[in-house]
Amino acid sequence: MSEAGKTGGDEITRLLDAWRTGDPHAKDQLLPLVYDDLRRVARRHFRGQPDAQTLSPTGLVHEAFLKLVEHHQGEWRDRGHFFSLASRAMRQILIDRARARGALKRGGPNQIQTLSDELPSASLALDELLSIDQALGKLESIEPRWARLVEMRVFAGLSVAESAEALGVSERTVKRDWVQARAFLALALSGA
């Protein structure tokens, strides 16, 4: 997250709590504090995407924020969890658009072997995103915490420390889960 996002984490969490408990002004105060970080997450989702994408990162932020308002109000526990849900909403919006365009019909089995923790989503094409979404669905049915961790690290760009805080576990547990989740996804994505 940006320095403003890190230093304003307490304020963001306070506003999320206020919004969850029904303060109608909290949402309006929250958006300016999280907007730059949400745009960074949106740009991360767009890396490696085809130029024909009809949605801009700004549009994705707005659609995701509306989705959060409509479907996830009150679910977030803190700043890390909020950004995880926002990233999930962005990913779902892009997946829905890719499905609508029939991206899988042009592709075939993908050969993604690993997810990197340095630049996790830098080269994901939309059909690869769909494959990862399906693999994440399988992972979530087996180990939901691993699936949330992948969403946080790959799509929201959270650090090990931020992921540990959002999940309520130690950094050591996050590192161990990250290795196992990546191994599971590598197998699932290779068709093994």
Side-chain angles (χ1 to χ4, degrees):
M1 299 295 116
S2 71
E3 282 306 308
K6 289 177 184 175
T7 58
D10 291 340
E11 179 66 7
I12 291 169
T13 299
R14 185 192 69 74
L15 287 170
L16 288 168
D17 287 340
W19 187 9
R20 182 177 48 233
T21 58
D23 179 349
H25 303 294
K27 175 181 68 170
D28 297 331
Q29 294 172 338
L30 178 67
L31 187 56
L33 290 177
V34 299
Y35 190 78
D36 287 341
D37 285 329
L38 288 174
R39 281 200 32 88
R40 182 190 55 78
V41 171
R43 282 191 305 270
R44 186 179 196 91
H45 282 284
F46 274 88
R47 287 185 191 157
Q49 299 302 316
D51 290 336
Q53 183 62 255
T54 60
L55 184 67
S56 70
T58 301
L60 183 59
V61 166
H62 290 275
E63 277 194 44
F65 197 77
L66 288 174
K67 195 170 192 172
L68 285 172
V69 170
E70 291 175 14
H71 302 291
H72 296 289
Q73 185 173 352
E75 288 183 25
W76 40 74
R77 294 181 302 275
D78 55 30
R79 182 177 65 71
H81 191 231
F82 172 79
F83 282 105
S84 175
L85 287 173
S87 181
R88 180 185 283 187
M90 290 178 195
R91 182 172 57 90
Q92 195 58 53
I93 290 164
L94 291 174
I95 287 167
D96 291 346
R97 286 175 173 263
R99 283 188 179 131
R101 287 195 323 260
L104 280 180
K105 291 179 185 175
R106 292 187 305 272
N110 292 301
Q111 299 301 318
I112 301 170
Q113 298 300 319
T114 62
L115 294 174
S116 165
D117 40 345
E118 279 86 34
L119 290 172
S121 61
S123 62
L124 298 180
L126 287 175
D127 57 340
E128 292 170 328
L129 185 63
L130 289 170
S131 296
I132 288 175
D133 183 59
Q134 291 172 346
L136 272 175
K138 291 176 190 173
L139 180 59
E140 190 165 23
S141 69
I142 295 168
E143 185 54 62
R145 186 176 73 206
W146 292 359
R148 285 199 53 227
L149 176 60
V150 170
E151 289 174 345
M152 290 176 190
R153 300 274 300 157
V154 173
F155 297 104
L158 297 182
S159 68
V160 169
E162 290 169 326
S163 299
E165 180 183 334
L167 290 169
V169 298
S170 71
E171 289 184 33
R172 184 175 179 196
T173 298
V174 164
K175 289 175 184 176
R176 184 180 59 240
D177 287 356
W178 180 237
V179 169
Q180 293 172 324
R182 285 174 54 192
F184 175 90
L185 289 175
L187 286 172
L189 292 169
S190 69

